[in-house]
Amino acid sequence: MGGPGDPPEGVPEGAPGGGEDEYRSVVFDESFVRAARLQESSARERMTDHAPAVRRRPALRRGLSRQALILVLLIALAFGTAVYMGVRHPYQAPATAQHTEPLRMTVIPLAPHDPVPGAADTAKLFAHSKAADFRVGADGITLPASRRTAHFSDSQVVTALTTAKDYLVESSLDPEVLTGGPVRSVRILLDPQQLDQFDQSFDHPAADGRHAATGWLVRFDPAKAQLAAPGIRVQGTMSAVETDSGTLEVTSDHTFVYALRPAGADGDEKASLFTVRRELQFRFDRDDLRMHQAEVVVSYLQAGPLSCSVDSANRLQPLLAGQTAKAGGPAAGTDPFATDSAASLCGTLAPGAQPNLS
């Protein structure tokens, strides 16, 4: 029934003055009602404690939220993984700074007893020499089977061997380097601490055991000789060992045989063979391995046929077909093909080291 003054059917919906209008602005949604958590007090509580008829219920205590629990588990998993990797891979420890030694080098010319044999056909020269069965070019620089060491992984050992091979290829087989051209391809493979010594060896070469350009690489005097054939014959060995927890050492021993003609000569002029034996010792710390660079610490080179009286610190000046060494060379013979041979600062090229064309 409507209030006084209202129509019998009540106040029309939406008309002003309705009894519910003053509560229209108050809205209790479902979340508000659930959050209220009201509980009616018992009759005894109202009599003894004068508590109100309705009291607010304390919020239920819940455990850790699902998100917090997942976060804790992830942190524990990450910490456990870090501990495991540190124990499983101890060779990944940070490297300590090490001082790089300067290259110690020895360049030994080998003088022939007799005139240098020659032939127009370079294939004939190789076929009648000790290099007949050598491989051609980089194929002759083979990598040994490699295994991880106590502090270096398989891949790190392979990186050291590969970098040493790259250095041998660039410094012994690159035609531009061999003929006196740019040497940047060799330089970029060196540890930065050796670059000053390398540059001084080319700016001011000297036979002092530290600054001979030919201690770093093989190169001929372009005014004297040129390559007669691109197929350089190579044979040798490589090995890698760990010297301490932060250093790998690679040793290489290779013999390179080049076919040469006089500078500016055509293919009809006789060619001759020139033999270089290089023994190198490389050292690698972890920075070198990461940067694909090497420390060359020892270089021992024997080369011939050369005249002992000619300075070989800057460029090698080979004796070519028909030429003989100047008088005054040593009497002892040295064979660069023999791995157990040794020589003084100048040696004599053994007769068997030259092609036998008779």
Side-chain angles (χ1 to χ4, degrees):
M1 180 173 180
D6 290 339
E9 62 275 12
V11 179
E13 184 177 357
E20 298 179 357
D21 284 350
E22 58 183 302
Y23 301 104
R24 288 184 182 274
S25 61
V26 181
V27 178
F28 299 97
D29 58 13
E30 184 177 357
S31 62
F32 176 83
V33 173
R34 290 182 177 178
R37 298 186 180 278
L38 302 179
Q39 181 179 0
E40 183 179 0
S41 301
S42 65
R44 182 177 298 276
E45 289 175 336
R46 291 198 300 272
M47 291 176 61
T48 59
D49 300 335
H50 304 286
V54 178
R55 67 175 183 272
R56 182 179 297 276
R57 292 176 61 188
L60 294 177
R61 291 182 177 273
R62 294 184 178 180
L64 291 175
S65 66
R66 180 176 300 178
Q67 292 85 350
L69 182 59
I70 292 175
L71 180 60
V72 172
L73 290 175
L74 288 176
I75 293 174
L77 180 61
F79 180 77
T81 301
V83 172
Y84 170 78
M85 293 298 291
V87 174
R88 180 67 177 83
H89 302 285
Y91 45 77
Q92 297 294 341
T96 56
Q98 296 184 6
H99 176 69
T100 300
E101 296 181 12
L103 171 60
R104 306 187 306 274
M105 58 185 70
T106 303
V107 178
I108 301 176
L110 302 179
H113 277 294
D114 304 313
V116 177
D121 185 358
T122 57
K124 180 180 179 181
L125 282 173
F126 283 120
H128 289 80
S129 74
K130 291 186 176 181
D133 297 327
F134 286 13
R135 294 186 177 183
V136 177
D139 291 341
I141 306 175
T142 57
L143 301 184
S146 59
R147 294 183 179 178
R148 59 177 295 179
T149 65
H151 300 90
F152 291 91
S153 66
D154 290 331
S155 62
Q156 288 174 315
V157 175
V158 170
T159 297
L161 289 167
T162 302
T163 304
K165 176 176 179 176
D166 290 344
Y167 185 90
L168 286 168
V169 170
E170 297 298 334
S171 64
S172 309
L173 301 176
D174 185 346
E176 289 192 356
V177 172
L178 293 174
T179 54
V183 296
R184 183 179 180 277
S185 60
V186 179
R187 190 179 188 273
I188 61 176
L189 292 172
L190 290 172
D191 184 285
Q193 295 186 49
Q194 289 191 312
L195 295 181
D196 286 343
Q197 183 187 8
F198 181 86
D199 293 339
Q200 290 176 21
S201 299
F202 290 87
D203 295 339
H204 306 286
D208 59 0
R210 288 290 188 272
H211 301 96
T214 48
W216 296 97
L217 49 82
V218 178
R219 70 170 180 172
F220 306 112
D221 186 345
K224 299 289 185 178
Q226 65 182 19
L227 290 174
I232 300 166
R233 305 300 175 93
V234 185
Q235 180 171 282
T237 60
M238 297 180 69
S239 62
V241 296
E242 176 184 316
T243 57
D244 57 52
S245 61
T247 308
L248 280 174
E249 192 171 276
V250 173
T251 301
S252 67
D253 184 353
H254 291 83
T255 300
F256 302 84
V257 183
Y258 308 84
L260 302 177
R261 283 193 176 94
D266 56 28
D268 295 332
E269 192 161 348
K270 286 185 177 182
S272 59
L273 297 186
F274 188 85
T275 304
V276 174
R277 180 182 170 195
R278 301 186 75 191
E279 298 176 63
L280 298 175
Q281 187 179 97
F282 302 89
R283 191 169 295 163
F284 300 87
D285 58 25
R286 299 185 191 281
D287 287 338
D288 293 325
L289 294 174
R290 187 178 66 256
M291 300 301 295
H292 192 70
Q293 295 171 334
E295 304 170 27
V296 188
V297 294
V298 176
S299 172
Y300 182 84
L301 180 143
Q302 300 177 58
L306 288 169
S307 287
C308 293
S309 59
V310 176
D311 183 9
S312 299
N314 186 22
R315 291 182 174 90
L316 301 176
Q317 302 182 42
L319 294 172
L320 302 174
Q323 296 180 344
T324 57
K326 295 181 180 181
T334 301
D335 185 352
F337 292 92
T339 58
D340 60 348
S341 63
S344 58
L345 295 181
C346 187
T348 299
L349 191 65
Q354 290 291 323
N356 185 6
L357 301 177
S358 56

